[in-house]
Amino acid sequence: MSAVALRNLAARKLRTLLTSLAIVLGVMMVAGTYILTDTIDSSFERIFTQSNQGVDAVVKTKQAVETDDGTVPPFDASVLHRVERSPGVAVAAGVIADPQVSIIDSDGEPIGGMGAPSFGFSTGPERFDPLTYVEGGPPQADAEIVIDKATADAEGFELGDAIEVAGKAEASEYELAGIATLGEVDSFGGATLALLTLPEAQRITGKRGQFDQITIAADEQTTPEQLTASLSDSLPKTVQAETGEEDVQSQREDIGVFLGFLQTALLVFAGVALFVAAFLIFNTFSITVAQRTREFAMLRTLGAGRRQIIAAVVLEALVIGLLASVLGLAAGIGFSPAVGALFGGVGIDLPTSGTIIELRTVIVSLVIGTAIAVLSALLPALRATRVPPVQGLREGAVLETPRERGRRNVAGVVLSALGLAAMLLGLFGVLSPGELWLGIGAIAVFIGVALLSPRLVTPMASVIGRPLERLRGIPGRIARENAIRNPGRTAVTAAALMIGLALVSFVAIFASGLRSSIEGAIDKTIVGDLFIANSDGFSDIPVGVTDAVAEIDGVATVSPTRYTQNEVEGTEGGGYLTLVDPETAPDVLTLDWEQGSQEVLGELGASEAVIDEKWGTDNGFSVGDEFTARTVSGEELELTVSGTFTDTTDYIGDYAASDANAAAYGEERNATSVLVNLAAGSDAAAVRSEIEAAVGERFPTIETQDQQQLKDSIGEQLNTLLGVVYALLFLAVIVSLFGIVNTLALSIHERTRELGLLRAVGTSRSQVRRIVRYEAVITALIGAVLGLALGVVFAVVVSRPLADEGFVLSIPVPTLIALLALAVLAGVLAAIGPARRASRLDVLQALSYE
Amino acid sequence: MNPLSADHTNSAAIVSARGLRRDFGEGEAAVRALDDVSVDLPKGRFTAIMGPSGSGKSTLMHVLAGLDRPTAGTITIDGTELGPLNDAELTRLRRDKLGFVFQFFNLLPVLTAEENILLPLKLAGREADQERKSTLIDAVGLGDRLSHRPAELSGGQQQRVAIARALLSEPAVVFADEPTGNLDTTSSGEVLALLRRAVDEFGQTVAMVTHDPQAAASADRVLVLVDGRIVSDEPARDADQVQSLMRPSAIS
Ligand SMILES: Nc1ncnc2c1ncn2[C@@H]1O[C@H](COP(=O)(O)OP(=O)(O)OP(=O)(O)O)[C@@H](O)[C@H]1O
Ligand SMILES: [Mg+2]
């Protein structure tokens, strides 16, 4: 008997471990997310604080428009004189601080991953210099440069080397005069730093006669607050003064927008994993509580109250939840750099020095992990104790009456329907915020389908199991029967996997639709032969590229486009638009006209715009109307609508206007892309290599692509993003695998005597393993089929609002088949442990097992 | 005393055990469940194994059937010595050469009666001999119950299904551990009659552990175990005779 008890305990230990692992993983993601974003935030704060040492106040262009990156255009250098004349100013220096000054490596390619800025700074008075020179010193002449130590180390640059730098003017070479760090901060998270003299920094960034910032130290009698107050009175309205500390905070806030987005995104993935974990706990407790129904019934006949028994079960969940949360928190500390590395791996480098664990991280992690465990165990506990003691004492007491089953099915249908409705209402903006309702709807659908799935298990197991049975004989048959013995159990186990796979397949389907829509739009819109843009895929390139390309033989048309942000009066802020060159644009861009034609584009006046039809409808603008655009430089432009077009992929943005306004939009130096048409009869390949050689020499940040390459590189970017999403969803799938392992382990424990009998009558160990493995595969496939079906439904639903913008849904059949194969593999993997245990059972002990 | 006399081994022994010892546990708690047991099961005979509780009946059966390994001694079944066989080989031997009937829990609840009967053959990937199958099903008298699950069958019916399973592959020997221990008199009678027919009509060899003298009386021969030793080995005549074999006076 003690052997039996010990075995029981061992089985319990395994179950406890598996159950808690699910929570550990979920909490790990929650904790890791907070730790990662807190660490990035504090790293940036240190960088900003260090950079602003000795700075009492800064003057910058006033932010006129909410932009995604928070950068502001430069202002006129004459402001410096007015600052210097202000009372309380001891020292003031004009500064260039530009995030698009690339250091070029020995292969002629700009250094740095995507997302990480490549800073170009100008030298100033020593008191403002935040740098520590590890070698050499600040640049003394226009031909000298200082770069950061991380970059110098990575590229093997040494003092005296010639360093090529590219900004908005043509690339130049400088002599490396110093290598520096920013105080204690050793990592900028992939960012590079180039320090030049002020005139040279102004020249290479295309900001002659301008500053990005004026850095000010107050005299001894003036506080920073008094200084900024007096500056604000004396400065033009387009600029603003902030104390050094305020400046650090506002820079942090700009980063904070991005970090907040990152945090939310990662927490969503953590939420998915926890949701799956909840299924697992619910299932585990359902099974073990069912196994203990008789024990509970006996306790109750002995006088234990219902509450006492519920409390006992909940206490168990509480302990598991709490322990798992603590472990998850600890694991989160390791997970945070792993996610950082994941982003780094796809080129998004973020600075992470140290590990910041806020109290909030600890509290949220512990509370969420414990609460999920307790809540998930509550229902099984309630259900088990509802069985009348006398009935519970009988063997094989059924916990669910037919009436309950009927009610559950109805609830499943209702919940699924309500969920879908919530998703649609959220998508079409009836309920807001849309993303929230989309999420709530999806959760409801998942729960609804999970409630319905016990009904689906038997027919699905028959369909899936039949070929197995045909091919694999009796082990396949027994596996299939085992899978449908407790449809509820198999259903919840499968539903956990369903969630992960539904999301994976949804993302795959949606991305595939997005990709084909983008490719379709490129085919239709970009009719130019060549497409020149920054090799990082999104930074600006110098507009000077246009003239350089125009000089090459065989080039017929060169047309720069500028994609930028503004605020249109009466609309939501931060809208995008494209500035085009009307003279050349019709040759390289074809818009999908609703009203108007290519001629309208060709004759676009400085005070005219052609608009996205949908944007116009949403905001009440149509042909002939006027709207007011406020630019990042704070200027206001009155534009008259002269045509409308459909823009499926938001390639143009809300509207297109003439680049005669480039300066007003703060974009005179920049181009987002330059489109090129070749002269009839010229050799495309030859022209391309000419552009790459001659123009690429002068502007090393550019990359020239033909239409196919452009499509490929967009596809690649999409795939990279998909990779990150898959990696994060993978954790949810792992959690659901634990669910399969757990269910199998519990079922095997329950079927010990059957296994003993099977072995006694001649079932070989490998046949026993097969029985377990096939059951796992059947369960996994049920989850996968349900998941893929839901993924398709979600993709169809979510793409509804995009359909009238021309979004074409395309189902990536090979990917879905691969997912099914993956599910089979997952089932096989999950079965390894339980199958081994089942096959190693001692026949005699198993037979005498009570 | 070695009660193994020549007149019980005159027909060829299909199972033959020599010097079986089986010890459980160590030190103080050590139990010798079998103590120098030698026994032959002759082909085509029905042997009953009796003895007080804890005397080692089940242990003997398990060891003979290769479900458990003896601490010492040798067993030969149908010419194969069990000692050198590994787990896979023993499993194959059980599947192909042995039939089992246990007291409880003989059938896989997820399979129908027919599937349970065919289980060992299916496991071996063999087809059933249709003639033998239908003869057996007739003999067992479950023709109309074949597609039922064990839960829908009475205890006696379940045991009969188990016996049909044990007999289908024409095993060298059928081991039954208290097959009637859980049944009422009528059902017991049916099960015993079935085993008897297997021996008489199909020429099967059967070894049955039982507590019930009535049951043992339907065998050809009764072995009595006490404290892991065979203390009596007599032909079975009737319940009273068997009862007398079990009396302490007879045993000591
Ligand atoms: N796995 C084991 N571990 C330890 N001791 C065991 C084990 N199996 C059997 N024994 C001991 O061996 C002896 C013989 O047991 P066995 O089960 O063979 O008796 P039995 O004659 O079948 O009894 P019953 O009529 O009660 O079924 C008993 O003392 C028992 O306690
Ligand atoms: Mg026994």
Side-chain angles (χ1 to χ4, degrees):
Chain A
M1 212 41 221
S2 72
V4 172
L6 278 178
R7 218 161 40 206
N8 236 328
L9 218 68
R12 287 273 276 274
K13 211 157 51 198
L14 183 73
R15 183 197 81 208
T16 314
L17 183 77
L18 287 167
T19 315
S20 45
L21 265 178
I23 300 190
V24 169
L25 283 181
V27 171
M28 171 184 92
M29 287 182 78
V30 173
T33 300
Y34 282 123
I35 293 172
L36 179 69
T37 48
D38 289 344
T39 303
I40 296 173
D41 181 48
S42 103
S43 304
F44 272 116
E45 190 186 5
R46 277 167 66 192
I47 292 174
F48 298 146
T49 311
Q50 187 75 32
S51 322
N52 267 6
Q53 236 156 51
V55 176
D56 292 317
V58 296
V59 170
K60 288 187 287 193
T61 299
K62 198 177 279 172
Q63 191 170 10
V65 167
E66 282 288 331
T67 55
D68 290 348
D69 56 4
T71 52
V72 288
F75 53 88
D76 198 87
S78 61
V79 175
L80 182 58
H81 301 298
R82 292 168 77 166
V83 169
E84 282 170 335
R85 270 183 271 123
S86 268
V89 172
V91 184
V95 174
I96 292 294
D98 189 297
Q100 293 187 351
V101 177
S102 302
I103 301 171
I104 307 301
D105 68 14
S106 47
D107 301 328
E109 296 299 324
I111 298 167
M114 67 175 181
S118 44
F119 288 112
F121 289 119
S122 60
T123 52
E126 213 196 315
R127 63 187 300 174
F128 294 139
D129 189 354
L131 297 179
T132 308
Y133 297 88
V134 235
E135 281 180 65
Q140 304 296 336
D142 288 352
E144 288 185 348
I145 190 171
V146 168
I147 66 171
D148 64 288
K149 185 168 184 306
T151 305
D153 287 349
E155 298 295 323
F157 289 138
E158 287 170 16
L159 289 194
D161 282 358
I163 308 279
E164 193 182 8
V165 171
K168 291 296 152 56
E170 286 184 29
S172 313
E173 279 195 354
Y174 302 89
E175 187 188 328
L176 187 59
I179 294 174
T181 61
L182 187 60
E184 309 272 282
V185 182
D186 37 31
S187 149
F188 305 106
T192 62
L193 187 151
L195 183 70
L196 297 165
T197 61
L198 179 60
E200 195 51 30
Q202 284 174 318
R203 190 193 67 77
I204 202 144
T205 54
K207 294 173 179 172
R208 280 220 168 89
Q210 293 179 312
F211 296 132
D212 287 316
Q213 181 178 314
I214 294 170
T215 307
I216 306 156
D219 62 25
E220 309 229 313
Q221 291 78 44
T222 315
T223 66
E225 288 71 24
Q226 291 167 335
L227 182 64
T228 44
S230 74
L231 282 169
S232 297
D233 294 340
S234 60
L235 290 178
K237 286 286 160 276
T238 51
V239 296
Q240 63 176 4
E242 279 182 337
T243 66
E245 243 161 64
E246 283 168 351
D247 180 49
V248 168
Q249 290 314 317
S250 66
Q251 289 186 68
R252 254 182 90 188
E253 275 163 31
D254 291 338
I255 292 290
V257 174
F258 162 72
L259 283 181
F261 174 75
L262 180 70
Q263 193 175 68
T264 310
L266 287 175
L267 284 178
V268 165
F269 289 107
V272 171
L274 281 170
F275 185 49
V276 174
F279 269 75
L280 201 164
I281 295 162
F282 170 81
N283 208 21
T284 306
F285 274 88
S286 297
I287 298 171
T288 54
V289 158
Q291 287 173 349
R292 279 147 72 192
T293 308
R294 280 171 85 179
E295 180 190 325
F296 291 153
M298 196 189 72
L299 286 173
R300 291 200 53 201
T301 51
L302 296 181
R306 229 187 119 183
R307 268 213 212 122
Q308 281 171 300
I309 286 168
I310 295 175
V313 175
V314 167
L315 184 72
E316 195 180 321
L318 188 83
V319 171
I320 291 181
L322 203 60
L323 279 177
S325 302
V326 171
L327 285 177
L329 186 62
I333 297 171
F335 180 69
S336 141
V339 176
L342 174 69
F343 283 111
V346 299
I348 305 171
D349 286 299
L350 298 160
T352 50
S353 23
T355 301
I356 307 294
I357 304 169
E358 302 274 356
L359 185 61
R360 177 262 277 121
T361 309
V362 176
I363 293 175
V364 169
S365 301
L366 295 187
V367 167
I368 232 169
T370 312
I372 283 183
V374 169
L375 290 179
S376 311
L378 204 56
L379 192 65
L382 286 174
R383 198 195 265 170
T385 51
R386 219 177 36 212
V387 178
V390 189
Q391 197 186 326
L393 276 175
R394 284 209 319 262
E395 188 152 16
V398 196
L399 292 184
E400 199 181 44
T401 61
R403 210 169 108 238
E404 282 174 316
R405 202 173 311 136
R407 272 210 301 251
R408 196 198 56 220
N409 287 332
V410 171
V413 172
V414 170
L415 211 54
S416 307
L418 282 178
L420 275 181
M423 287 176 81
L424 283 169
L425 292 175
L427 280 167
F428 284 99
V430 181
L431 293 171
S432 73
E435 303 85 42
L436 183 68
W437 283 101
L438 195 63
I440 291 175
I443 289 175
V445 171
F446 279 134
I447 296 177
V449 173
L451 285 174
L452 279 175
S453 55
R455 263 199 84 111
L456 305 175
V457 159
T458 310
M460 286 180 77
S462 300
V463 174
I464 295 166
R466 202 136 288 163
L468 257 182
E469 192 179 333
R470 183 92 13 103
L471 290 169
R472 292 294 182 217
I474 197 77
R477 164 107 180 96
I478 297 174
R480 173 158 78 94
E481 290 294 341
N482 281 341
I484 59 177
R485 267 166 103 157
N486 289 294
R489 184 186 295 184
T490 306
V492 178
T493 310
L497 185 64
M498 163 189 88
I499 297 169
L501 284 180
L503 294 175
V504 169
S505 55
F506 161 70
V507 170
I509 296 168
F510 197 72
S512 140
L514 198 60
R515 188 170 175 170
S516 52
S517 304
I518 291 176
E519 289 183 350
I522 290 176
D523 281 338
K524 263 193 279 175
T525 315
I526 302 180
V527 290
D529 297 311
L530 294 175
F531 181 90
I532 303 173
N534 194 302
S535 54
D536 72 8
F538 69 95
S539 297
D540 291 324
I541 55 173
V543 77
V545 169
T546 315
D547 293 335
V549 173
E551 282 163 18
I552 289 170
D553 282 343
V555 168
T557 318
V558 187
S559 184
T561 68
R562 298 163 162 98
Y563 192 61
T564 184
Q565 273 182 294
N566 74 340
E567 260 176 37
V568 173
E569 212 168 83
T571 70
E572 269 183 46
Y576 279 93
L577 66 127
T578 300
L579 297 175
V580 297
D581 171 23
E583 215 171 291
T584 51
D587 294 339
V588 292
L589 285 176
T590 307
L591 298 184
D592 186 0
W593 293 101
E594 292 291 327
Q595 270 181 290
S597 64
Q598 291 291 97
E599 281 77 59
V600 174
L601 188 62
E603 286 158 12
L604 203 60
S607 59
E608 286 179 328
V610 289
I611 65 169
D612 178 358
E613 216 263 333
K614 185 168 186 303
W615 178 74
T617 320
D618 289 349
N619 295 292
F621 302 132
S622 50
V623 174
D625 290 351
E626 255 189 17
F627 63 87
T628 308
R630 180 141 35 88
T631 72
V632 283
S633 337
E635 294 201 33
E636 299 209 337
L637 298 173
E638 299 283 329
L639 298 171
T640 308
V641 179
S642 59
T644 62
F645 58 90
T646 306
D647 184 15
T648 318
T649 51
D650 243 6
Y651 179 74
I652 300 290
D654 297 336
Y655 65 93
S658 165
D659 65 3
N661 300 314
Y665 281 96
E667 294 286 346
E668 64 270 44
R669 292 168 301 275
N670 307 327
T672 309
S673 61
V674 172
L675 301 177
V676 178
N677 251 355
L678 302 178
S682 63
D683 178 0
V687 175
R688 248 191 74 186
S689 49
E690 177 75 12
I691 293 179
E692 268 159 18
V695 185
E697 176 92 10
R698 292 158 65 192
F699 302 101
T701 54
I702 66 162
E703 184 175 31
T704 310
Q705 296 176 311
D706 60 24
Q707 228 191 38
Q708 189 53 47
Q709 288 168 319
L710 175 63
K711 285 191 251 179
D712 289 348
S713 68
I714 290 175
E716 232 167 80
Q717 284 174 30
L718 213 57
N719 281 346
T720 307
L721 188 67
L722 272 184
V724 174
V725 171
Y726 288 157
L728 292 170
L729 283 177
F730 187 63
L731 276 167
V733 175
I734 297 267
V735 171
S736 58
L737 285 195
F738 285 134
I740 298 183
V741 177
N742 207 4
T743 305
L744 285 178
L746 288 164
S747 299
I748 285 166
H749 180 68
E750 243 173 47
R751 300 175 195 154
T752 304
R753 289 179 63 169
E754 274 168 54
L755 289 166
L757 174 72
L758 274 169
R759 293 278 289 127
V761 301
T763 312
S764 68
R765 289 200 166 151
S766 72
Q767 281 172 324
V768 169
R769 279 198 295 270
R770 244 178 270 161
I771 291 174
V772 177
R773 197 184 310 136
Y774 296 160
E775 183 180 350
V777 167
I778 290 172
T779 308
L781 274 174
I782 291 175
V785 169
L786 286 175
L788 296 194
L790 269 188
V792 173
V793 170
F794 284 174
V796 169
V797 167
V798 172
S799 63
R800 273 320 298 155
L802 306 174
D804 48 336
E805 291 185 46
F807 184 93
V808 260
L809 201 63
S810 81
I811 309 267
V813 176
T815 309
L816 299 191
I817 291 175
L819 280 176
L820 278 182
L822 205 73
V824 172
L825 185 70
V828 171
L829 286 179
I832 290 177
R836 179 172 309 177
R837 261 180 67 153
S839 73
R840 296 240 170 115
L841 277 180
D842 184 279
V843 182
L844 284 180
Q845 277 184 10
L847 276 174
S848 62
Y849 183 81
E850 282 293 342
Chain B
M1 165 184 113
N2 184 358
L4 201 77
S5 44
D7 50 60
H8 294 303
T9 54
N10 46 12
S11 50
I14 194 108
V15 176
S16 171
R18 288 293 170 273
L20 290 184
R21 183 149 61 76
R22 179 66 172 102
D23 297 333
F24 288 110
E26 272 168 29
E28 288 282 300
V31 176
R32 179 153 297 182
L34 293 179
D35 189 3
D36 192 23
V37 172
S38 293
V39 64
D40 283 340
L41 298 185
K43 195 169 164 56
R45 300 284 287 277
F46 188 171
T47 307
I49 303 171
M50 296 198 70
S53 189
S55 58
K57 305 182 293 292
S58 296
T59 306
L60 175 60
M61 202 193 90
H62 293 152
V63 168
L64 288 180
L67 286 169
D68 193 8
R69 286 186 191 268
T71 312
T74 58
I75 301 141
T76 310
I77 295 182
D78 200 14
T80 309
E81 207 195 311
L82 301 194
L85 301 188
N86 63 22
D87 181 81
E89 290 162 334
L90 277 176
T91 304
R92 217 171 308 127
L93 179 104
R94 286 200 300 273
R95 190 185 72 196
D96 298 338
K97 295 222 165 138
L98 306 181
F100 285 97
V101 184
F102 300 103
Q103 181 175 359
F104 312 102
F105 209 81
N106 264 303
L107 306 178
L108 218 58
V110 292
L111 298 182
T112 63
E114 182 173 13
E115 287 170 327
N116 265 293
I117 293 174
L118 295 174
L119 184 61
L121 282 179
K122 284 274 177 70
L123 286 169
R126 282 194 276 137
E127 281 304 314
D129 180 300
Q130 285 308 318
E131 213 186 289
R132 184 172 175 88
K133 187 180 149 193
S134 54
T135 321
L136 260 175
I137 286 169
D138 273 352
V140 178
L142 285 169
D144 54 338
R145 296 263 156 175
L146 285 178
S147 58
H148 289 231
R149 301 263 167 124
E152 299 159 336
L153 299 175
S154 75
Q157 288 168 331
Q158 288 184 28
Q159 292 306 74
R160 273 143 60 198
V161 171
I163 292 169
R165 177 189 65 208
L167 294 174
L168 183 63
S169 59
E170 292 185 68
V173 53
V174 172
F175 288 105
D177 193 351
E178 302 193 34
T180 58
N182 221 19
L183 304 178
D184 63 24
T185 335
T186 325
S187 303
S188 284
E190 284 166 6
V191 164
L192 290 167
L194 192 57
L195 287 173
R196 189 67 249 176
R197 260 182 86 187
V199 176
D200 297 341
E201 287 175 29
F202 305 128
Q204 285 290 351
T205 311
V206 175
M208 173 181 75
V209 170
T210 183
H211 274 292
D212 177 10
Q214 200 77 50
S218 59
D220 299 319
R221 166 195 181 198
V222 181
L223 289 178
V224 180
L225 274 175
V226 172
D227 290 340
R229 292 167 166 274
I230 295 180
V231 296
S232 146
D233 182 355
E234 301 285 335
R237 284 195 300 273
D238 55 49
D240 291 338
Q241 173 243 358
V242 173
Q243 186 81 56
S244 70
L245 289 176
M246 290 286 293
R247 249 178 240 125
S249 58
I251 290 168
S252 50

